[in-house]
Amino acid sequence: MLKIKNLKATINEKLILKGLDLDIKPGEVHAIMGPNGSGKSTLANVLSGKNGYELEGEISFKGMDLNDLKIEERAQKGIFLAFQYPLEIPGVNTNNFLRTSLNSVRKARGEKELDTLSFLKLIKEKAKELNIDEKFLSRQLNVGFSGGEKKKNEILQMKLLEPKLSILDETDSGLDIDALRIVADGVNSYKNKENAFLIITHYQRLLDYIKPDFIHVLSAGKIIKTGNADLGEQLEKTGYANLS
Amino acid sequence: MKNQDLNINKEYKYGFTTDIESIRAPKGLNEDTIKFISNIKKEPKWMLEWRLKAFNRLQSLKEPNWQKPKYPKINYQDLYYYSAPKSASEKPKSLDEIDPKILETYKKLGIPLVEQQRLNGIAVDAVFDSVSVATTFKDELTKKGIIFCSISEAIQKHPDLVKKYLGSVIPLSDHYFATLNSAVFTDGSFVYIPPNTRCPMELSTYFRINASETGQFERTLIIADKGSYVSYLEGCTAPMRDENQLHAANVELIALDDAEIKYSTVQNWYPGDKNGVGGIFNFVTKRGACRGKNSKISWTQVETGSAITWKYPSCILQGDNSVGEFYSIAITNNYQKADTGTKMIHLGKNTKSKIISKGISAGNADNTYRGLVDINKKATNSRNYTQCDSLLMGNKCGAHTVPYIKNKNSTSTIEHEATTTKINEEQLYYCNQRGLDQEEAVSLIVNGFCKEVLQQLPMEFAVEAQKLVAISLEGSVG
Ligand SMILES: Nc1ncnc2c1ncn2[C@@H]1O[C@H](COP(=O)(O)OP(=O)(O)OP(=O)(O)O)[C@@H](O)[C@H]1O
Ligand SMILES: [Mg+2]
């Protein structure tokens, strides 16, 4: 589904990703761990198409060269990024935002746009699964949401848009114990043979709930180690310093 | 040729011209021009005298220069003050008699005048250059005793009402542009709602400047008699021309006891091109008097067009318990400049006013909110709430807030809130990541920002206005 070959990314003349390879197949869950500043969010941003990076190397998604696609086209084709720091947009009603978003994705997929009523029915269902109070949906997008509420809202959007590749950038940071479980359940219930996950995290506890097929360690812009689910526990004990 | 070239600029879709034969007054501002206008409109003597008096006052007035946007000197002797389609020199008696070219123009603008296509439940008065060419739904309104016609017709048929109220809110010698209008106004709408009558439909005037080198000076007078209600809206467009054209309108509203007037404007005059060439100078005086107790006047404006806009729709709250409201969206892009706001003059007891202003600037544009809240000695327990929000797109535009407050009453309450925000790349990126393209994203954010004002517009127009907001800002980000 996603193939990255020798990816290098530079921003403001600073080389951040220094030759990275990654291969994600449908149905797989990949976790990326690594020290602060190692380039995890940069990788997520680059995959989503964020502007401002100078890129080298190859990225293909479902056989398409990602470099040819704009941010919204990637989103419409099934790349979803749950932001490490979700943005607040004052004045924009959450429901309205979600509906506009869903309909542009549906339109691109050649599906019928949802009218207000069908949308509300759908969103209420999804919100309930994540234990999100309906009241949040009529508030301004992320404005005044607590850190954890914002993260849950990201997962709600993921479930609504039904992406092929979901990139979760530290979605677990800031979640309380119950919320962590709810979010993990949300991810697990959406996992199937066709879609894949790239989960960026600092903590093993999320990976206790969502079992990854692979764990990669990103350090100074390179993947320095790849292992199976056990690698996480090992890292928890030894830290990143003794790796190489 | 020039006009054709300009038409390539696709963003302003109303920029076409209608090729039509017109009757014009000779160029220049003088007594003869005024006599020409009055004569061609077959006005009674008192009207001509009124105009000449205004012209006389004009000689001692100077153009104001306290506003933020400065503009090139206008040569008043080099303008036409009257231009009318030849076919309309005798006002058409029915819609069938209107020049098909004019009908076509309004159709292109989305304002069908032909009876079977008319907007559902909205009566329209269409003003083309200097004359009103059509008023729809007249019969239905007449049954209720409602008068909705061009001001020229009202001067002929309802002289008592016109004499009593014209100039009663904007006096003859108010300021330069208002006085200029009083001298040379050509047409506009007149509305009278009889006591205890709720006007059963939206009344609307659509202004179109077509001719070149022509100023448009329309005059609107709306009177809501005791216990009545009316909602009125105006729209405006003009062709793209590389000259600046002057539009100096006067609008007077009068609400008697327990009456309510809701006045909405969607102003989309040609704004000039990307480099600031051409566009309308929109220097407008709008003022409402809440003359009776418990009366209410509410102004809503969506200002997206014009090269330069100065307007301060105001409320004089004379009656006890009267209410004044001002809801405004002013959008400036490229080299547009807007200096707009309101005056709320509290004279009566327990009077209330509310001001919600949303200014949006993009490109190299400049946007100023200028407002006055003036609370008089006798206006006990009066209240004002003001909220001014500015949204900036990019680094080259400007936003300014100039709120004046004069309070001579210790029992009154005045609240003021102001914010300035910038649409940032991160917000747009977030929206893009959720599948919205750049335009959808800007439109969503901007419409969210203006929501409180858009909600005030009648339904059909809110949708239009929302689209207009998005179009005016097209290409301003990224
Ligand atoms: N616009 C920028 N200009 C310069 N340097 C940048 C820019 N954006 C990111 N960086 C730098 O790139 C490096 C990688 O940042 P990134 O956000 O990808 O790290 P991360 O692995 O996600 O860290 P964390 O675990 O703290 O979230 C950091 O050193 C950061 O300071
Ligand atoms: Mg990060």
Side-chain angles (χ1 to χ4, degrees):
Chain A
M1 170 177 304
L2 181 74
K3 278 203 172 74
I4 304 178
K5 264 196 213 144
N6 197 24
L7 175 66
K8 292 180 184 157
T10 306
I11 192 161
N12 293 335
E13 285 160 29
K14 191 176 161 192
L15 182 66
I16 296 174
L17 299 180
K18 302 174 181 165
L20 185 147
D21 299 282
L22 190 63
D23 193 347
I24 299 179
K25 298 199 172 59
E28 290 180 350
V29 177
H30 290 242
I32 292 197
M33 302 182 83
N36 295 128
S38 57
K40 301 181 297 299
S41 294
T42 303
L43 174 62
N45 292 343
V46 166
L47 292 177
S48 73
K50 190 177 182 184
N51 304 326
Y53 297 98
E54 267 170 64
L55 301 178
E56 268 178 67
E58 287 165 38
I59 318 173
S60 75
F61 175 66
K62 296 201 290 182
M64 297 170 279
D65 184 348
L66 267 192
N67 286 320
D68 299 339
L69 300 180
K70 291 192 213 157
I71 308 170
E72 62 270 23
E73 291 167 332
R74 299 179 193 206
Q76 290 158 359
K77 294 206 162 21
I79 293 182
F80 179 88
L81 170 59
F83 281 56
Q84 183 172 1
Y85 306 107
L87 276 292
E88 300 191 0
I89 307 188
V92 175
N93 172 285
T94 302
N95 259 331
N96 187 20
F97 177 78
L98 298 183
R99 188 160 77 92
T100 313
S101 163
L102 178 61
N103 278 336
S104 24
V105 171
R106 287 180 67 103
K107 208 159 66 188
R109 289 198 295 229
E111 294 166 6
K112 223 176 102 232
E113 291 183 40
L114 287 190
D115 59 47
T116 315
L117 279 181
S118 339
F119 170 78
L120 284 178
K121 199 169 152 248
L122 178 70
I123 193 69
K124 275 182 189 169
E125 256 167 50
K126 305 260 176 199
K128 204 166 162 199
E129 287 169 19
L130 290 167
N131 210 9
I132 293 175
D133 192 328
E134 271 177 40
K135 269 185 271 168
F136 282 100
L137 302 175
S138 40
R139 278 171 57 175
Q140 303 177 41
L141 185 63
N142 289 330
V143 176
F145 285 27
S146 75
E149 288 161 355
K150 283 181 185 165
K151 297 296 181 74
K152 271 168 94 175
N153 196 12
E154 295 290 287
I155 297 304
L156 175 66
Q157 294 177 49
M158 180 192 83
K159 296 196 71 169
L160 185 70
L161 299 178
E162 303 184 324
K164 291 281 173 271
L165 173 67
S166 306
I167 307 165
L168 312 187
D169 191 355
E170 295 198 26
T171 301
D172 54 334
S173 304
L175 290 180
D176 66 39
I177 304 160
D178 292 338
L180 182 71
R181 179 173 301 135
I182 291 166
V183 163
D185 288 348
V187 170
N188 285 329
S189 69
Y190 180 59
K191 223 166 74 176
N192 62 34
K193 281 209 258 339
E194 263 136 55
N195 52 35
F197 288 86
L198 182 61
I199 297 176
I200 298 171
T201 181
H202 285 296
Y203 306 107
Q204 171 61 28
R205 47 169 207 195
L206 178 68
L207 305 179
D208 290 340
Y209 291 112
I210 309 171
K211 249 196 145 19
D213 301 300
F214 301 95
I215 295 180
H216 310 278
V217 178
L218 185 65
S219 177
K222 276 190 164 163
I223 290 178
I224 56 163
K225 196 172 174 83
T226 294
N228 61 13
D230 301 335
L231 180 59
E233 270 161 56
Q234 188 194 324
L235 288 172
E236 199 102 309
K237 290 194 199 99
T238 59
Y240 297 117
N242 301 325
L243 283 179
S244 67
Chain B
M1 273 325 291
K2 271 248 165 74
N3 285 325
Q4 242 159 30
D5 293 344
L6 286 167
N7 275 327
I8 296 166
N9 178 348
K10 273 208 234 64
E11 277 133 39
Y12 188 74
K13 67 171 177 177
Y14 308 107
F16 61 90
T17 42
T18 308
D19 190 8
I20 202 159
E21 229 187 313
S22 341
I23 297 176
R24 281 176 159 179
K27 254 187 191 175
L29 180 60
N30 49 51
E31 290 206 354
D32 287 341
T33 298
I34 293 167
K35 283 177 185 157
F36 178 96
I37 295 171
S38 192
N39 183 45
I40 202 162
K41 293 184 162 299
K42 304 191 180 75
E43 285 179 354
K45 206 160 152 250
W46 59 266
M47 197 63 244
L48 175 62
E49 278 164 7
W50 198 84
R51 288 174 178 279
L52 291 172
K53 205 163 137 192
F55 180 66
N56 199 14
R57 295 280 171 82
L58 189 67
Q59 312 309 315
S60 57
L61 292 174
K62 281 212 172 67
E63 282 179 57
N65 71 352
W66 42 264
Q67 318 85 325
K68 189 121 199 325
K70 301 299 176 220
Y71 58 95
K73 221 172 158 35
I74 300 170
N75 183 351
Y76 292 93
Q77 298 310 336
D78 200 31
L79 283 181
Y80 291 106
Y81 289 84
Y82 181 87
S83 167
K86 207 164 192 176
S87 53
S89 55
E90 287 296 318
K91 178 150 186 177
K93 285 175 195 64
S94 79
L95 291 165
D96 309 334
E97 288 178 22
I98 298 175
D99 190 322
K101 275 191 187 161
I102 294 180
L103 286 181
E104 188 58 30
T105 302
Y106 281 91
K107 207 168 131 196
K108 268 200 213 166
L109 298 170
I111 314 287
L113 297 176
V114 182
E115 288 285 324
Q116 61 269 29
Q117 299 177 341
R118 61 205 176 176
L119 292 170
N120 223 358
I122 300 170
V124 180
D125 184 27
V127 176
F128 194 88
D129 287 336
S130 306
V131 288
S132 159
V133 290
T135 313
T136 62
F137 277 105
K138 248 181 159 160
D139 299 344
E140 245 174 287
L141 294 168
T142 310
K143 270 183 222 145
K144 291 208 160 225
I146 293 168
I147 305 169
F148 177 41
C149 63
S150 70
I151 190 101
S152 310
E153 190 178 331
I155 290 165
Q156 313 267 356
K157 293 192 183 154
H158 311 282
D160 294 344
L161 284 170
V162 176
K163 266 192 215 166
K164 183 166 176 191
Y165 291 108
L166 189 73
S168 76
V169 192
I170 305 173
L172 264 189
S173 52
D174 197 79
H175 68 91
Y176 190 84
F177 292 106
T179 304
L180 174 64
N181 175 288
S182 293
V184 300
F185 75 85
T186 44
D187 220 334
S189 297
F190 176 83
V191 176
Y192 172 78
I193 314 287
N196 305 318
T197 305
R198 198 181 161 86
C199 186
M201 59 184 85
E202 304 280 345
L203 301 184
S204 157
T205 302
Y206 197 87
F207 295 102
R208 172 79 179 166
I209 298 180
N210 186 59
S212 62
E213 297 169 89
T214 304
Q216 181 154 340
F217 305 93
E218 83 259 358
R219 183 106 197 177
T220 295
L221 177 59
I222 299 178
I223 304 139
D225 213 324
K226 290 179 183 172
S228 69
Y229 169 85
V230 62
S231 167
Y232 176 93
L233 31 102
E234 60 171 5
C236 18
T237 57
M240 295 184 214
R241 296 185 188 281
D242 51 11
E243 55 179 297
N244 293 113
Q245 283 182 284
L246 176 64
H247 169 252
N250 281 8
V251 174
E252 293 176 281
L253 312 183
I254 295 113
L256 301 184
D257 289 355
D258 305 297
E260 179 176 347
I261 302 175
K262 193 173 157 57
Y263 192 105
S264 314
T265 304
V266 177
Q267 186 266 108
N268 188 21
W269 295 119
Y270 178 53
D273 70 7
K274 280 207 156 67
N275 305 311
V277 177
I280 304 290
F281 290 162
N282 187 35
F283 304 161
V284 170
T285 308
K286 291 185 166 171
R287 208 171 294 163
C290 283
R291 222 158 259 179
K293 62 175 169 46
N294 310 320
S295 57
K296 178 174 174 184
I297 289 179
S298 178
W299 298 100
T300 303
Q301 60 174 24
V302 178
E303 301 282 322
T304 64
S306 298
I308 301 180
T309 296
W310 303 331
K311 62 180 280 202
Y312 313 91
S314 305
C315 296
I316 303 167
L317 304 170
Q318 289 167 280
D320 289 347
N321 313 316
S322 60
V323 177
E325 291 176 342
F326 175 72
Y327 297 94
S328 169
I329 297 171
I331 299 182
T332 48
N333 197 358
N334 300 320
Y335 286 88
Q336 280 178 281
K337 296 177 165 41
D339 190 316
T340 183
T342 183
K343 292 184 204 169
M344 293 291 176
I345 317 286
H346 292 253
L347 302 173
K349 295 189 188 81
N350 307 317
T351 46
K352 272 195 285 199
S353 64
K354 182 172 174 186
I355 300 171
I356 308 283
S357 161
K358 307 276 179 179
I360 301 165
S361 315
N364 293 283
D366 213 40
N367 209 320
T368 302
Y369 168 82
R370 189 187 302 275
L372 168 68
V373 176
D374 185 348
I375 300 199
N376 256 259
K377 260 202 199 107
K378 286 183 187 151
T380 47
N381 296 318
S382 51
R383 283 174 163 273
N384 163 266
Y385 173 76
T386 301
Q387 187 188 329
C388 292
D389 299 322
S390 307
L391 185 68
L392 298 172
M393 307 173 79
N395 293 319
K396 283 179 272 175
C397 52
H400 319 270
T401 304
V402 192
Y404 299 97
I405 295 171
K406 287 193 210 160
N407 188 1
K408 299 192 199 83
N409 193 301
S410 60
T411 61
S412 63
T413 319
I414 297 177
E415 284 173 84
H416 182 96
E417 285 176 30
T419 64
T420 302
T421 38
K422 215 170 145 179
I423 288 200
N424 60 49
E425 294 285 326
E426 291 289 320
Q427 286 173 326
L428 290 172
Y429 166 49
Y430 188 68
C431 295
N432 293 152
Q433 212 300 305
R434 296 301 185 256
L436 310 186
D437 65 25
Q438 201 74 345
E439 263 166 52
E440 284 175 309
V442 170
S443 160
L444 191 81
I445 294 173
V446 170
N447 279 306
F449 174 76
C450 321
K451 200 169 52 191
E452 286 157 282
V453 176
L454 290 171
Q455 278 167 350
Q456 296 298 322
L457 289 172
M459 259 298 272
E460 306 82 342
F461 285 77
V463 177
E464 276 305 301
Q466 240 177 54
K467 281 189 212 147
L468 188 59
V469 164
I471 294 168
S472 331
L473 289 167
E474 225 162 73
S476 54
V477 200

